[in-house]
Amino acid sequence: MLSGLETADIMEGVHNCVVNCAGVKRGENVLIVTDTLTEERIVQALACACKERGADVVTIIMKPRDWPMQEPPEIVAEAMRHADVIFTPIYYSISHTRASIIARLEYGARYINLPTLSMNSLKSEAARFPAPVISKIYEKVHEIWGRAKTIHITAENGTDVRGKILSKFYTGGMPHFPMQEGEFLAFGGAMGIYGMWPGGEEGDANGEMYFDAAHMFVGKLEVPLKYVIRKGRVVEVEGGKEAEHFRNIVKNVPNGDHLAEWMIGLNPKARIILDQDVTHVEAHRHAGSLHTAIGNSKVLGGTVYANVHLDNFIIAPTMTFDGTVLVDKGKLVVLDHPEVQKVASEYGVSW
Amino acid sequence: MDGKQVNKMADQRQAGTSYQLAQEIFVQGLAGDPANREFMGRHNRTIQFEIEGEPPFIVEVRDGRVAMREGVLADPDLGVKANPDVFRQVFRGLMSPGEAWMDDKWWVGGAFSDYVGTSWMMRLIKAGIRSRMQQIW
């Protein structure tokens, strides 16, 4: 029975993910780890795209995890160690688990995380956006952020926070395209991020941040969530009904108060969609938006482990680096750079 | 020098220094086995080792060759910080380098995005141990 041709509409996005980003090649062992809450057509499309490249594809379907970053069953963890490429279209992400990190770092697997991915996201312009253009935007951001010593973030919502950038070890965040061994990519219907670990006590982040959306809550917050930050730790949480949830984490989870990342989106076509899922992954990739995590920073250049990692979101920050404005009220200024425009033109995209 | 320090030095003499063990794995094991040449030659990186209580040293893998020396680099590509016990367990193949990192037993890393280098280094260590074991046995 013909039940619609929607799968055809996502294939360009899937091709971008499988071929341009993951670089799946003939003869490679591909493992798709999914769960029973995931859209079957996405899994099938990923498998088809990998098979079309000549890869050997194995798909494992597991019970959905009970919470984000819960370890997968050992049989999955073992399979991950034998894969050249791992795709995880999944409800609760397992990207920062011991299983995935060992598979990447000790066994060299390339890991593409696709959490709470929707057909809608995979059909979008952001999902089709050319990887080389993202790479050029990344390069231009790195020229400013990666060489700076100080960061200052403000926003009209009241955010005003400053910190130090300790070394090159703590800035970055994107793989090569196509990906190389051991690399990680979150493809939430879009790709493109750059960020830093704020450096804990030594990084000396101080100030206040007000968030427009919060991890594990659907939609824009009616009352912005406020963090008061001292020396890289959240010391106070205020806001609406969501505040108690974050206050509990900050107070009760070991290192739950640790400021784990400041990260911006690079993708000019990623949409600020906040009302469709609890992770807002596509919005995080919107060029010039900012997400900030508390908790685990170990896979993000940092040194602090926590059994939690929650990202909150600011739509339109202004961010300066040693006095140079990189993001101006949510506009990523390097998008206008002639080199970025040239590459965009070569790939037939504009914004 | 107190008794504990004397005992520690005696233990270190018996076990060899971390530098010596790294030399055994990287130079004799890794570089001494032709099977590793392609893998070693994939990347060029400098690795700074800082082992507690011992002089810092540098491992440089360039164009498929390994060079080691004591010292400190201003701008290494990758870094390892560990206490001697953990270092020895990892470099004798008794502890997984990734598990040790996950459990905060040692620090291993590079630039935020340099997962390629970090992964390559962990696999270099494992390949060196494997080759050294084959040479011995």
Side-chain angles (χ1 to χ4, degrees), chain A residues 98 106 171 173 181 298-299, chain B residues 42 96 99 101 103 113 115:
Chain A
R98 180 179 292 263
E106 269 202 43
T171 63
E181 292 175 19
K298 280 207 72 160
V299 289
Chain B
R42 284 187 202 174
S96 135
E99 298 276 2
W101 181 76
D103 291 336
S113 301
Y115 298 123

Side-chain angles (χ1 to χ4, degrees), chain A residues 71 81 96-98 101-102 104-109 138 168-176 180-184 195-197 261 263 298-305, chain B residues 38-39 42-43 45 75-79 81 95-123 126:
Chain A
E71 291 291 332
R81 296 175 184 193
H96 295 19
T97 58
R98 180 179 292 263
I101 289 165
I102 296 295
R104 282 174 45 217
L105 296 188
E106 269 202 43
Y107 293 85
Y138 181 92
K168 68 172 187 178
F169 277 17
Y170 304 136
T171 63
M174 284 283 287
H176 300 83
Q180 298 182 11
E181 292 175 19
E183 289 195 313
F184 167 79
M196 67 177 276
W197 176 52
E261 82 188 54
M263 191 160 274
K298 280 207 72 160
V299 289
L300 302 155
T303 60
V304 176
Y305 178 76
Chain B
E38 185 276 328
F39 184 60
R42 284 187 202 174
H43 307 288
R45 296 281 199 289
D75 194 23
D77 298 309
L78 298 163
K81 293 178 186 177
M95 186 185 288
S96 135
E99 298 276 2
W101 181 76
M102 283 299 293
D103 291 336
D104 272 339
K105 290 180 176 164
W106 72 347
W107 182 85
V108 179
F112 191 153
S113 301
D114 193 10
Y115 298 123
V116 177
T118 306
S119 172
W120 180 66
M121 174 171 62
M122 286 192 186
R123 286 179 294 148
K126 289 173 71 173

